[in-house]
């Protein structure tokens, strides 16, 4: 009697395990998803994505492998349409020609679905570190934001080699590389490694494959990996302030005189105010004469005129270091010296602004 009861209990446990296992597999296999569409406040932030799938002997039973394949197929079906690159590799301790090898190329739902459906268990060891290093050539020098998504049970002989490979592939990348991991199976040691892989670069995430058994869970995972908040539009640059029209009138002089007429007090005040309001500018003073008298005399006269204007500005508070002077005598007439009116225009000190 006791033997019969014990046998019946064992049979019930086995039946329960099979039911649970079949239920997990059935849910994964029947999972129906649609491509993720960014919400109004979301945008695709991923520039490259490679899916790395463990098809080694450590995956174990066929049902676990089939669950993994179903998850990969669900993920690829939910990937958003967009301008990014995607690829897929499977790995096992066998010839690489037996594995799925899809290099990075512009995202194609058809290509990704075909690669996912081509996955098959290959057995042998779990060369996860080597599989990660093989992606260096794909990611090397890539700009922008990349992601490596690993489906595995995490069962490896030397976890430290895997973590070092994760760090090395990040160093080979030219931008941001995040590592996301999905655990199939229930190995505690495997879960620990996959969690550490996702944390190695500070921007990845670990997923328990058993929790990805609904379309909503797959949708949330895809959004985690691909989407981010939409950047606010940059405000239009402020128009540059209009250029200041630096303009000062000339100071004119009577014949053979360097005395500044009182009518120019306003012009001198304007020049003083300009230097106070704009501490980075200087004023250039250029003295001139008409053609009366000798060249040597006119040169001296132009010097006296320009020095008179300089002295008047300094007296009104302008620092002498902000005044630059030149005297040209009769050599640079503004107009021909062919009439009294023109000769008066040539007897001048020109004031201009140096920025």
């Amino acid at each position: 009697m006791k033997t019969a009861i014990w046998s019946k209990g064992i049979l019930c446990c086995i039946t329960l395990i099979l039911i649970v296992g079949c239920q997990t597999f059935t849910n994964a296999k029947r999972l129906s998803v649609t491509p993720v569409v960014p919400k109004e406040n979301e945008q695709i932030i991923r520039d490259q994505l490679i899916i790395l799938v463990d098809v080694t002997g450590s995956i174990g039973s066929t049902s676990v492998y089939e669950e993994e394949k179903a998850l990969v197929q669900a993920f690829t079906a939910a990937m958003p349409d967009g301008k990014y690159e995607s690829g897929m590799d499977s790995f096992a301790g066998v010839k690489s020609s037996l594995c799925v090898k899809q290099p990075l190329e512009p995202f194609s739902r058809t290509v990704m679905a075909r690669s996912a459906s081509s996955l098959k268990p290959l057995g042998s060891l779990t060369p996860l570190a080597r599989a990660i290093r093989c992606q260096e050539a794909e990611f090397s020098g890539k700009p922008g934001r990349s992601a490596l998504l690993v489906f595995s049970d995490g069962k490896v002989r030397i976890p430290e080699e895997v973590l070092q490979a994760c760090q090395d592939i990040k160093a080979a990348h030219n931008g941001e590389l995040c590592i996301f991991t999905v655990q199939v199976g229930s190995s505690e040691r495997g879960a620990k490694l996959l969690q550490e892989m996702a944390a190695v670069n500070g921007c990845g995430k670990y997923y328990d494959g058993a929790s990805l058994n609904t379309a909503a869970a797959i949708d949330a995972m895809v959004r985690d990996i691909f989407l981010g908040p939409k950047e606010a539009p940059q405000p239009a640059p402020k128009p540059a302030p209009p250029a200041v029209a630096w303009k000062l009138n000339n100071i004119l002089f009577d014949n053979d005189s360097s005395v500044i007429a009182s009518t120019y007090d306003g012009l001198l005040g304007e020049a003083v105010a300009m230097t106070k309001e704009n501490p980075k500018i200087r004023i250039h003073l250029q003295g001139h004469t008409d053609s009366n008298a000798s060249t040597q005399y006119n040169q001296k006269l132009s010097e006296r005129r320009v020095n008179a204007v300089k002295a008047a500005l300094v007296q009104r508070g302008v620092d002498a270091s902000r005044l630059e002077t030149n005297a040209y005598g009769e050599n640079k007439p503004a107009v021909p010296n062919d009439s009294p009116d023109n000769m008066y225009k040539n007897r001048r000190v020109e004031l201009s602004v140096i920025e």
Side-chain angles (χ1 to χ4, degrees), residues 120-237:
K120 57 184 178 181
L122 298 176
S124 190
L125 302 177
T126 308
L128 180 53
R130 186 178 70 191
I132 292 172
R133 292 188 190 281
C134 286
Q135 309 311 313
E136 286 190 23
E138 291 287 344
F139 285 125
S140 180
K142 287 286 187 181
R145 306 172 76 174
S146 299
L148 178 64
L149 173 59
V150 180
F151 288 83
S152 176
D153 59 6
K155 294 180 181 180
V156 299
R157 291 177 58 191
I158 308 177
E160 293 77 16
E161 289 185 353
V162 177
L163 296 176
Q164 185 61 52
C166 292
Q167 294 173 0
D168 292 344
I169 195 173
K170 170 63 175 68
H173 191 264
N174 198 36
E176 175 190 88
L177 175 61
C178 301
I179 298 177
F180 299 86
T181 57
V182 177
Q183 182 187 17
V184 292
S186 57
S187 167
E188 292 185 5
R189 185 182 178 191
K192 181 176 183 297
L193 172 61
L194 293 169
Q195 289 166 5
E196 290 176 345
M197 290 170 60
V200 111
N201 294 330
C203 59
K205 188 173 181 178
Y206 161 84
Y207 300 88
D208 180 355
S211 68
L212 300 174
N213 57 1
T214 65
I218 295 293
D219 183 282
M221 177 187 178
V222 172
R223 290 183 185 276
D224 280 347
I225 296 174
F226 278 98
L227 304 183
K230 184 177 290 185
E231 296 179 0
Q234 295 297 317

